Amino acid sequence: MVVSRRDRIKEDVVRKAVNALLKWKKKKQKKLYSQSDHEFAQEEVEEEDDGDDFIYLSVTLKKVPTQELTRTPHQILLRHSLLSQDYSSLNCCLIVDGKKITSEAAHKIIKAKGIRFIKQVLKVSKLKSDYKSFDSKKKLYDSFDVFFAVKSVVPLLPKVLGKVFYNKKKKIPVPVELRADGSNWKDEIEKACKSSLLCLSGGTCSALKVGRWALTETEEIVENVFEAIDGVLEIVPKKWGGIRCFHLKFSDSLALPIYEYQQTLQPDDNKVGKVGDGGSGLVGMKRKRAELVEGSGRKK
């Protein structure tokens, strides 16, 4: 029987972590904007935050994921979108292969389906020819709120778009599985707008967005956290057995633990026994760290 995420992770622990992060962010913003020179303060905000106002669910695995899992980003559906609720205000770009779906055909489908927030369609060949330089890629990056890409071209994009898009993974194209006849475009793209991307790295640590400062409320973020955990468990081999810990954080804040895998010791000896149920919150982690410190103190 699969153990429920709410048996492993207490909702109250998640809520406290979210509130602590939002309080920290509010205090930081207030401090920056309280400078006498507002223009200087604004520059400092942009320099320190780099425009990143997302709360991340940090995922630490027990083992490095296989290359198959790291090849493409994984789309995880959230309860609440991290984008503006009014999608019509978004400025989005769709990347197509140019063969099965041409840019001309895409424009016709977008118009017919009323997907008004997609303002431009680009073929991969166009990206290769017109966006070679760092400056041109940066200009493209800054021109749109969100990028979508048909699933077949996603593996090609890291090389084509480069580190401008993939270095911090803040605006990498969201994969969408679009049919050439356009029958599922509206549903798939709106689903992508309510999703977050998990890009498993070549190491054991990865992260995905679950909330956004000044856009999502505390309870919405809490619900997104549990939806994201469900999505992660569907991707990670062995589900809970493959997870070492979960944390919540802003990109520039401390990471607050909400779950850590724990091992139990057999009562008759000091050998590691069966896997424990895991735990959540700071108390269990502090106790474990204290035990590790005491144990290391006995060594000579």
Side-chain angles (χ1 to χ4, degrees), residues 150-195:
V150 294
K151 211 165 186 178
S152 60
V153 305
V154 170
L156 306 174
L157 296 181
K159 186 175 181 180
V160 175
L161 296 175
K163 64 180 182 179
V164 174
F165 282 77
Y166 285 84
N167 187 28
K168 294 185 178 180
K169 300 181 179 178
K170 290 181 181 178
K171 207 184 282 186
I172 65 175
V174 181
V176 283
E177 198 158 359
L178 303 179
R179 297 174 189 148
D181 63 2
S183 59
N184 69 336
W185 282 40
K186 191 173 180 65
D187 289 340
E188 282 297 308
I189 291 173
E190 288 185 354
K191 178 183 173 183
C193 287
K194 290 185 68 175
S195 298

Side-chain angles (χ1 to χ4, degrees), residues 51-52 54 82 98 139 141 186:
D52 189 350
F54 293 100
L82 304 181
K139 186 176 180 180
Y141 179 95
K186 191 173 180 65

Side-chain angles (χ1 to χ4, degrees), residues 90-93 117 119-120 122 131 135-147 165 171:
L90 295 174
N91 187 21
C92 303
C93 176
F117 51 88
K119 310 296 185 184
Q120 187 170 352
L122 291 173
Y131 298 91
D135 289 341
S136 62
K137 290 174 183 176
K138 185 67 169 64
K139 186 176 180 180
L140 177 65
Y141 179 95
D142 293 333
S143 298
F144 298 96
D145 300 311
V146 183
F147 291 84
F165 282 77
K171 207 184 282 186

